[in-house]
Amino acid sequence: MIILKDLEVWFVTGSQHLYGPETLNQVAAHAQEIAASLHDSPRIPVSIVFKPTVKTAEEITAVCQEANNRSSCIGIMVWMHTFSPAKMWIRGLKLLQKPLLHFHTQYNRDIPWGTIDMDFMNLNQSAHGDREFGFMTSRMRMGRKVVAGHWQDIQSLEQIDQWTRAAAGWHDWQNARFARFGDNMRNVAVTEGDKVEAEMKFGYSVNTYGIGDLVRIINQVSDAEAERLAAEYADTYILSPALHKGGEKHSSLLEAAKIELGLEFFLRDGNFKGFTDTFEDLHGMTQLPGIAAQRLMNKGYGFAGEGDWKTAALVRAMKVMGSGLKGGNSFMEDYTYHFDPNNQLVLGSHMLEICESIADGRPSCEIHPLGIGGKADPVRLVFNTAAGPAINASVIDMGNRFRLLVNEVVAVAPVYALPKLPVARVLWKPYPDMKTGCAAWILAGGAHHTCYSQNLQAEHLQDFADMAGVECLVIGKKTDIYQFRNEIRWNEVYYQLNS
Ligand code: MN
């Protein structure tokens, strides 16, 4: 998985020569101190790199070009300690291809009431210097994040943390490769989409590989390698007796292990960051990848079933964004409802492929019939999921644009045992309530497939959508269905005008 500290966000401070060397030295010293403090903060996952103060259009243009060209740079954070006439920024900002965060902060937290003089006023001008910069970025219609607040303020750090994580996910998508084994599940609409547009908009490519190419690799996995992985399964999970060595279904476990090893080899060899499969195209494969998809997701690969490449890519990006945080991110599907008026719930699951990163406790490794697809019984991990706040996110192709849809939910602890349901599952309540949350999702055209996240919030996804320049709709605690319907209608016009 990706190490976020290897990625850089550049801290760029704007000024001008008018102030003279003494003030500019102070500007540089303060900027350095703020950058170092952000870099050292345990709340900020990436490296914050101090850059010398930019004072001319040439210096601004140069740092933007340099940021574009540095592959480890995932974005720039700018701050106008003093006034930096914003016409100087036009050329640089026009060239800038990396995400932009405008940190509207100030070196001193408090006004030094007893000692404040015009020298102090001259130096500490971000209250108006940042407004000049804000005008230019608004005038240029630039997507960016604005964080306002003191640089030691915990909320500022939280917002910067969210933006840097979104930028890391965005960075990871650029030139990312996703493999589809087989095409789309036949006749399904929402999993389809414009892969050319996606590559232009999101930076990742999606290509299909014949299932035979994968099967050939799976068939090359030796029995000894499969036995080694099967032993790891036995050590890691609560293995059903029939799957143990000598058990009547042990050969199915070996088959599952071969599928995982073959898939992982294929993905690593082709430098892929995720994949899709479909139960309708498993020619030559004995079982649908269950435990393989679950474990590969846990290793950081994006995955979605039924050829759903948009969700597979989103799962990957969200895994990168959540890297190092407690909790996990998984492919998910809204499966069935509990409409008890006193306790309304969604049961989320999939046929098999829920990532073990969201498991509460040690999963059990079981084998059961699938009841669809006509293949051999697949091996899968079965587990419950912990209670707590979470989100569901989905990318859909609206024909003229991509829409990222997010629903804030709260997962609840399982109340009942589900002895006859042999899949990993989650129970959650959508915000603002079951009726509004579900109706809003349907009105927005959200997919049945999502990425379920325990460690990201809607703000991560909003920042991410801004970086991509795509629509983002959030269904959360304050969602009002009347307003939400209007937002969809207004967005329709906005994206028509903006395309
Ligand atoms: Mn599905």
Side-chain angles (χ1 to χ4, degrees):
M1 201 58 198
I2 198 156
I3 308 292
L4 297 183
K5 216 65 192 177
D6 292 344
L7 304 174
E8 299 175 2
V9 167
W10 289 3
F11 191 90
V12 178
T13 309
S15 190
Q16 60 180 330
H17 278 298
L18 198 69
Y19 298 103
E22 198 187 322
T23 301
L24 286 175
N25 284 341
Q26 276 176 295
V27 167
H30 289 168
Q32 209 154 2
E33 187 182 337
I34 294 174
S37 155
L38 294 176
H39 177 78
D40 294 338
S41 167
R43 299 197 72 100
I44 310 288
V46 304
S47 294
I48 306 293
V49 177
F50 166 80
K51 289 282 154 183
T53 314
V54 287
K55 303 163 297 291
T56 63
E58 290 69 29
E59 288 172 357
I60 291 165
T61 304
V63 79
C64 291
Q65 283 175 318
E66 209 188 316
N68 288 344
N69 291 335
R70 183 68 58 86
S71 60
S72 55
C73 174
I74 62 167
I76 71 169
M77 187 186 310
V78 296
W79 170 50
M80 309 300 128
H81 190 347
T82 53
F83 203 79
S84 178
K87 289 208 283 185
M88 298 194 306
W89 285 83
I90 294 173
R91 191 168 140 70
L93 291 178
K94 264 172 84 176
L95 295 170
L96 184 67
Q97 289 161 348
K98 300 281 168 95
L100 174 67
L101 183 145
H102 182 185
F103 192 17
H104 180 40
T105 191
Q106 177 170 284
Y107 178 69
N108 57 300
R109 195 194 71 176
D110 300 337
I111 293 176
W113 305 107
T115 58
I116 185 168
D117 56 11
M118 278 319 287
D119 281 347
F120 181 92
M121 297 277 274
N122 223 14
L123 176 65
N124 296 283
Q125 296 190 344
S126 51
H128 67 275
D130 271 330
R131 282 164 206 253
E132 166 75 356
F133 182 81
F135 165 73
M136 185 46 72
T137 35
S138 287
R139 174 70 179 78
M140 293 174 73
R141 272 63 172 181
M142 285 188 74
R144 82 277 192 194
K145 169 125 177 161
V146 178
V147 176
H150 191 250
W151 50 282
Q152 288 163 324
D153 169 53
I154 199 82
Q155 277 178 319
S156 301
L157 293 175
E158 221 166 81
Q159 285 184 289
I160 293 171
D161 168 40
Q162 284 166 329
W163 178 84
T164 56
R165 289 181 176 279
W170 178 246
H171 175 77
D172 185 72
W173 261 9
Q174 307 315 305
N175 299 319
R177 291 156 53 81
F178 292 92
R180 299 175 88 208
F181 298 110
D183 197 79
N184 205 56
M185 178 179 167
R186 285 187 271 282
N187 292 315
V188 175
V190 78
T191 48
E192 292 277 12
D194 186 339
K195 296 196 278 293
V196 176
E197 184 66 18
E199 188 159 346
M200 287 164 59
K201 203 84 195 166
F202 297 135
Y204 64 73
S205 65
V206 181
N207 286 292
T208 299
Y209 293 82
I211 194 78
D213 294 336
L214 176 60
V215 168
R216 190 164 31 85
I217 290 169
I218 291 170
N219 288 342
Q220 284 166 10
V221 177
S222 70
D223 290 344
E225 288 172 293
E227 284 288 6
R228 252 197 309 277
L229 185 58
E232 188 185 323
Y233 294 166
D235 285 344
T236 315
Y237 312 112
I238 304 158
L239 206 60
S240 297
L243 293 173
H244 276 285
K245 202 161 184 174
E248 63 197 59
K249 296 282 178 70
H250 185 67
S251 61
S252 296
L253 191 72
L254 293 182
E255 201 53 55
K258 284 183 180 178
I259 292 172
E260 178 181 334
L261 290 166
L263 259 169
E264 190 170 14
F265 179 85
F266 190 102
L267 296 173
R268 217 179 318 121
D269 190 50
N271 197 23
F272 294 105
K273 289 179 173 172
F275 68 105
T276 68
D277 61 18
T278 169
F279 67 94
E280 284 182 329
D281 189 359
L282 295 174
H283 193 81
M285 266 174 113
T286 50
Q287 41 177 291
L288 176 64
I291 189 171
Q294 293 178 291
R295 283 169 49 89
L296 288 169
M297 257 191 281
N298 197 34
K299 288 181 177 178
Y301 288 102
F303 170 82
E306 292 104 50
D308 186 352
W309 51 274
K310 296 192 297 302
T311 304
L314 186 64
V315 168
R316 164 66 189 192
M318 289 172 72
K319 282 181 172 291
V320 172
M321 288 187 232
S323 185
L325 294 175
K326 194 170 167 288
N329 290 275
S330 176
F331 173 51
M332 187 58 67
E333 181 165 314
D334 294 70
Y335 230 100
T336 200
Y337 290 145
H338 186 57
F339 268 146
D340 172 359
N342 299 316
N343 185 28
Q344 308 212 48
L345 295 165
V346 180
L347 173 63
S349 187
H350 205 257
M351 292 192 295
L352 304 167
E353 313 93 334
I354 300 297
C355 177
E356 63 170 303
S357 67
I358 65 168
D360 186 22
R362 193 176 172 201
S364 58
C365 179
E366 306 177 14
I367 182 164
H368 304 274
L370 192 58
I372 190 167
K375 288 280 169 177
D377 299 352
V379 176
R380 81 286 303 273
L381 299 175
V382 180
F383 51 84
N384 285 313
T385 308
I391 56 170
N392 276 311
S394 152
V395 175
I396 54 168
D397 184 343
M398 291 299 290
N400 64 343
R401 66 185 185 276
F402 291 105
R403 169 179 286 163
L404 176 61
L405 184 62
V406 183
N407 189 191
E408 296 172 338
V409 304
V410 59
V412 300
V415 185
Y416 306 101
L418 304 166
K420 301 218 159 173
L421 187 70
V423 285
R425 60 270 174 151
V426 193
L427 284 169
W428 68 75
K429 291 173 181 292
Y431 282 114
D433 56 73
M434 184 82 166
K435 261 182 185 301
T436 314
C438 294
W441 188 273
I442 300 286
L443 280 168
H448 54 286
H449 285 167
T450 59
C451 179
Y452 176 88
S453 176
Q454 295 173 320
N455 54 23
L456 300 175
Q457 289 91 49
E459 195 161 352
H460 290 99
L461 278 293
Q462 268 173 328
D463 289 349
F464 187 68
D466 284 343
M467 289 166 194
V470 300
E471 179 184 16
C472 182
L473 293 174
V474 176
I475 304 163
K477 287 175 189 153
K478 291 183 206 151
T479 295
D480 167 87
I481 200 78
Y482 175 80
Q483 282 297 333
F484 190 75
R485 286 173 57 158
N486 279 338
E487 191 180 340
I488 290 174
R489 291 191 186 114
W490 295 332
N491 281 1
E492 205 63 66
V493 179
Y494 170 83
Y495 283 95
Q496 217 49 265
L497 294 175
N498 207 33
S499 62

